[in-house]
C-alpha cells in the first residue's frame, strides 16, 4: 500500500481544505460567465467550479464562492451565458477575475468585444468559440457557496470550431484551472472506445 497523508475536513482550517480540494479536483473547465445587472451593467467572470448537471433538460452549473456580482446579477435577472475560455484569451480570462466594482463592466475594463445573444439579454464574448445561453433553473446554497444551475436555451458554436459538424477539441483549444494560480492546456488527446460487456474478454456469447 502506498504511504498516504490524511486530511480531515472537520479538523482542518476551511481555507486550507479549500486549497487542498482545489489542487486535487483537477483539471477544471472554466465557465466564462456573462451576466447583466438590474442596472444594465454587463459582467464577465471566470468560474472553474463548473460542470454539467443534467442532460435532458440540458442544465449546467457553476458555484459562486461568496456573493459575487455574477450571482447577484443572475438572481436579479434570471439569465446568463457561459462562454468557453480558449487558450488565445488566457490573459483576458484572468483579467476578468479581477474584483472590479459592480458598476464597472469587465467587457469594457478588459477590452473584450461583445456580441448579442440570441435568447437572453447578457452578451456573448465575440471571440469565444462557444456560448451557452441559460435561464436560471435553481440555486442551492451551502453556507457561503451557492451553486447556480442554468437551463441551456440556446447554444452557439463557431463554424471554425466544428469538424464534420462536431465541436473539435483542437479547434476549441480550451484552458483549464488547476490548483492555486496554475492553468492547464489540452495536452495529448487519446481516443479510446468504451468496452461493452458483450466484448469483454472471456465473456461467453451464445
Ligand atoms: C480561472 C479562475 C477560476 C475561478 N473560479 C471561480 C469559481 O469557481 N467560483 C468563484 O466564486 N470564483 C472563481 N474565481 C474568482 C472570480 O472570477 C472572481 O472573484 C471575480 O472577481 C468574480 O467576479 P464577479 O464579482 O464580477 O462575479 C475564479 C477566478 C479565476 C481566474
Amino acid at each position: 500500500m502506498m504511504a498516504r497523508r490524511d486530511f480531515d475536513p472537520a479538523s482542518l482550517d476551511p481555507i486550507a481544505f479549500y486549497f487542498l480540494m482545489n489542487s486535487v479536483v483537477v483539471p477544471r473547465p472554466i465557465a466564462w460567465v456573462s451576466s447583466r445587472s438590474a442596472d444594465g451593467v454587463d459582467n464577465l467572470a471566470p468560474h472553474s467550479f463548473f460542470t454539467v448537471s443534467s442532460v435532458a433538460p440540458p442544465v449546467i452549473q457553476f458555484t459562486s464562492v461568496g456573493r459575487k456580482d455574477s450571482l447577484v446579477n443572475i438572481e436579479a435577472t434570471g439569465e446568463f451565458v457561459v462562454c468557453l475560455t480558449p487558450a488565445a484569451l488566457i490573459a483576458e480570462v484572468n483579467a476578468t477575475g479581477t474584483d472590479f466594482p459592480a458598476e464597472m463592466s469587465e467587457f469594457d475594463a478588459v477590452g473584450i468585444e461583445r456580441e448579442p445573444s440570441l435568447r437572453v439579454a447578457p452578451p456573448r464574448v465575440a471571440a469565444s468559440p462557444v456560448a451557452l445561453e441559460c435561464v436560471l433553473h435553481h440555486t442551492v446554497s451551502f453556507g457561503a457557496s451557492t451553486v447556480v444551475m442554468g437551463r441551456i436555451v440556446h447554444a452557439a458554436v463557431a463554424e471554425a470550431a466544428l469538424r464534420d459538424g462536431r465541436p473539435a477539441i483542437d479547434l476549441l483549444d480550451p484552458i483549464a484551472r488547476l490548483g492555486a494560480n496554475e492553468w492547464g492546456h489540452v495536452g495529448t488527446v487519446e481516443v479510446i472506445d468504451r468496452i461493452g460487456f458483450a466484448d469483454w474478454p472471456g465473456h461467453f456469447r451464445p
Side-chain angles (χ1 to χ4, degrees), residues 3 12 30 40 42 83 99 114 121 137 151-152 155-156 162 174 178 187 191:
L12 255 188
I30 302 169
D42 291 334
C83 294
D99 55 344
R114 300 161 168 87
H137 176 73
R151 185 166 55 81
I152 301 174
L162 298 172
L178 310 176
V191 178

Side-chain angles (χ1 to χ4, degrees), residues 4 9 33 36 48 50 54-55 77 82 87 99 103 107 118 150-151 154 158 170 184-185 196:
R4 295 182 190 272
V33 178
R36 181 169 282 175
S48 69
F50 166 54
S54 160
V55 171
T77 66
V82 169
D99 55 344
E103 62 276 13
F107 281 96
L118 194 72
R151 185 166 55 81
H154 184 72
D170 55 316
H185 294 261

Side-chain angles (χ1 to χ4, degrees), residues 2 7 15 17 19 33 38 42 44 65 91 95 124 155 182 202 204:
M2 70 176 84
F7 298 89
I15 298 293
F17 201 79
F19 288 156
V33 178
D42 291 334
L44 187 64
V65 183
R124 306 170 184 162
E182 299 160 345
F204 174 70

Side-chain angles (χ1 to χ4, degrees), residues 23 31 35 49 80 83 106 109-110 121 123 133 140 150 166 168-169 172 174-175 179 181-182 185 189 191 197 199 202:
S23 301
S35 60
F49 293 171
F80 62 102
C83 294
E106 289 81 1
V110 179
E133 301 179 12
V140 182
R166 289 171 179 234
I169 190 69
L172 296 171
I175 44 174
N181 55 0
E182 299 160 345
H185 294 261
V189 175
V191 178
F197 183 57
D199 297 321

